[in-house]
Amino acid sequence: MDWDSKRVLVTGSSGVIGRVLVDLLSQRDAEILSVDKESDSTIEPEVNHIQVDLSREVPSELRDFDPHVVMHLAAEFERTSERPGYWKVSFDNNPLLSNKLLRTLEGASSLETYVFASSYLIYDSSLYTDVSGVYSIHEDDRISPRNMVGVGKYYTEKEISFASNTSDKFRSVLPRIYRVYGRGSRDVISRWIRSAIREEPIEVYGESNQFDYVFAGDVAEGLMRLAEAENASGVVNLATGRGQSISKVVAILKDIFPNLEVETVENSHPVESSEADMCRFKELTDWCPSTDLEEGIRKVVQFERSQINYSGA
C-alpha cells in the first residue's frame, strides 16, 4: 500500500497505540485525520486533529474527509475490576460510539479498509485460567467475553463484519490485541515504573499470572501491516505469541531499580496463563512483533524519566 496516496482516519489517536500510529503514518506521508476526546500537544502541526467525544457527536468533518482507511482505536477500558455502573460508561464509549462512527462512514465513497482494535477479552477465559502450562489462544477458540469490555468489542466486531459483508464495499480487519504496554500508558507496567521512579513501593497481585505483553509500537506497526495485507480480513490475533509472567516483569524492574520495594498482595482471582497463536498474523503479514519485554520496559523507563526531567519535577 502506498500510504502517501491514502487518507487515513485514526480514532483514539491520543492513546498509547494511537500516538505511535499517527507518527508512523506521518512518516509514510499519509494524509491523516486524528480524532480523540483529549487534546494532544504531541501531534505534529501538519496533522489535522479534532478534539471531540465521539460517543456524543460524530462531526461531519469525518464523513467529508472521505477516508480510504479507518483505524478505529477509540474505546473505554477499566484497568482492574469493573466498578458498579461501568456498564453505562462501557456502552456509551464502546458499542454506541462505534455504531455512530460506522453509521457516519459506511457510505464514504473512498472507504477501502476498516481496521477495528478489538481485544482477546472476547475469548472464553476458562481456556487459559487455572490451567497447566500456557494456553495459546487461536482465533477459532471458544467465545465467552469475560467482562463488559469484551462484550462491547465482540458486538462491534459483529456489527463491522455485517456492514462490510453486506455492502461489499470495504474490507474489515478485526485484530484482537493482547496486553499492551508502552510510553505514557495507564497499563500496570507503566504505573509500576512511575512508582519506581518516585521511589515508591509497587503492589503486585498474582506473580504467577502469565500474559502476552505486547509493546504499543509493535501494535501500531502490526495494525498498519494488516491494513497493507490485501488478503487480511476478519479476526486476527495481535500480540507476540509469548506468555510471560508477572514475576519476570518484576525481576526486570528490580534489575533497573535495585532498591525497588515490592509489596505482594493476596489475590483470589483465577491464575491466567495466556498467549496468542500468531500463525495467522504471520501468514498474512510475514512479520511479527519483536520488541523483547526487557527492551520495551527499558524504553518506557527512559520515556517516564524524560517526562519528569521535562516537567522539572
Side-chain angles (χ1 to χ4, degrees):
M1 179 184 291
D2 294 325
W3 288 101
D4 60 359
S5 65
K6 299 299 182 183
R7 292 185 298 277
V8 185
L9 170 65
V10 182
T11 73
S13 55
S14 295
V16 64
I17 302 169
R19 291 194 303 272
V20 184
L21 181 58
V22 168
D23 285 345
L24 290 176
L25 289 166
S26 295
Q27 292 168 21
R28 299 181 199 185
D29 297 322
E31 182 181 350
I32 305 163
L33 179 57
S34 158
V35 182
D36 200 287
K37 64 182 178 181
E38 306 292 341
S39 62
D40 193 339
S41 60
T42 66
I43 293 178
E44 296 298 326
E46 62 269 18
V47 174
N48 184 12
H49 179 72
I50 298 176
Q51 183 180 356
V52 63
D53 184 345
L54 293 175
S55 70
R56 298 177 179 272
E57 171 194 6
V58 180
S60 60
E61 289 97 320
L62 273 66
R63 181 185 63 251
D64 297 341
F65 182 63
D66 191 23
H68 296 100
V69 180
V70 174
M71 297 286 199
H72 178 28
L73 280 63
E76 179 74 27
F77 290 90
E78 286 280 52
R79 297 294 152 175
T80 52
S81 59
E82 293 173 335
R83 65 188 184 277
Y86 175 71
W87 60 273
K88 292 176 283 190
V89 176
S90 179
F91 179 80
D92 287 348
N93 292 278
N94 294 314
L96 179 61
L97 181 157
S98 297
N99 176 275
K100 287 182 175 181
L101 181 67
L102 184 59
R103 283 170 179 255
T104 301
L105 296 175
E106 67 168 337
S109 60
S110 299
L111 184 57
E112 300 168 353
T113 306
Y114 201 113
V115 180
F116 169 59
S118 191
S119 171
Y120 87 109
L121 297 172
I122 287 172
Y123 295 112
D124 186 347
S125 62
S126 68
L127 295 167
Y128 56 80
T129 53
D130 291 337
V131 296
S132 59
V134 181
Y135 186 82
S136 185
I137 305 172
H138 189 271
E139 288 89 349
D140 293 331
D141 272 332
R142 291 194 307 268
I143 298 299
S144 181
R146 65 192 274 186
N147 55 19
M148 295 306 299
V149 170
V151 170
K153 292 290 189 182
Y154 188 50
Y155 177 82
T156 300
E157 280 189 5
K158 290 299 185 182
E159 193 166 65
I160 293 171
S161 294
F162 184 85
S164 173
N165 294 335
T166 55
S167 70
D168 199 29
K169 291 182 179 178
F170 64 93
R171 172 174 59 103
S172 60
V173 190
L174 312 168
R176 289 180 179 164
I177 303 169
Y178 286 60
R179 292 278 179 154
V180 181
Y181 69 103
R183 302 177 181 94
S185 176
R186 291 182 294 160
D187 69 271
V188 68
I189 292 177
S190 295
R191 297 200 306 270
W192 283 343
I193 288 171
R194 287 191 281 271
S195 292
I197 290 173
R198 294 192 298 265
E199 298 183 351
E200 298 171 353
I202 64 172
E203 290 188 346
V204 177
Y205 298 77
E207 284 194 78
S208 60
N209 282 281
Q210 298 184 75
F211 304 111
D212 197 331
Y213 297 102
V214 57
F215 190 59
D218 284 348
V219 175
E221 180 68 31
L223 294 174
M224 292 185 64
R225 287 179 180 255
L226 287 172
E228 292 168 349
E230 294 182 358
N231 59 336
S233 64
V235 173
V236 188
N237 282 332
L238 176 45
T240 67
R242 300 185 301 277
Q244 304 196 72
S245 67
I246 290 178
S247 61
K248 180 172 182 179
V249 174
V250 173
I252 293 170
L253 292 175
K254 283 183 174 180
D255 186 55
I256 300 170
F257 303 97
N259 297 321
L260 179 65
E261 183 180 346
V262 178
E263 297 178 355
T264 302
V265 180
E266 292 297 323
N267 180 19
S268 60
H269 296 297
V271 175
E272 177 171 338
S273 302
S274 65
E275 64 186 17
D277 183 315
M278 289 293 289
C279 292
R280 183 160 191 247
F281 183 93
K282 291 177 184 176
E283 182 180 347
L284 290 168
T285 66
D286 194 31
W287 182 81
C288 193
S290 59
T291 301
D292 176 76
L293 182 59
E294 181 171 355
E295 176 190 358
I297 288 174
R298 289 185 180 276
K299 287 181 178 180
V300 177
V301 170
Q302 183 180 26
F303 172 81
E304 294 294 344
R305 281 174 168 159
S306 73
Q307 294 302 106
I308 291 174
N309 293 334
Y310 176 78
S311 66

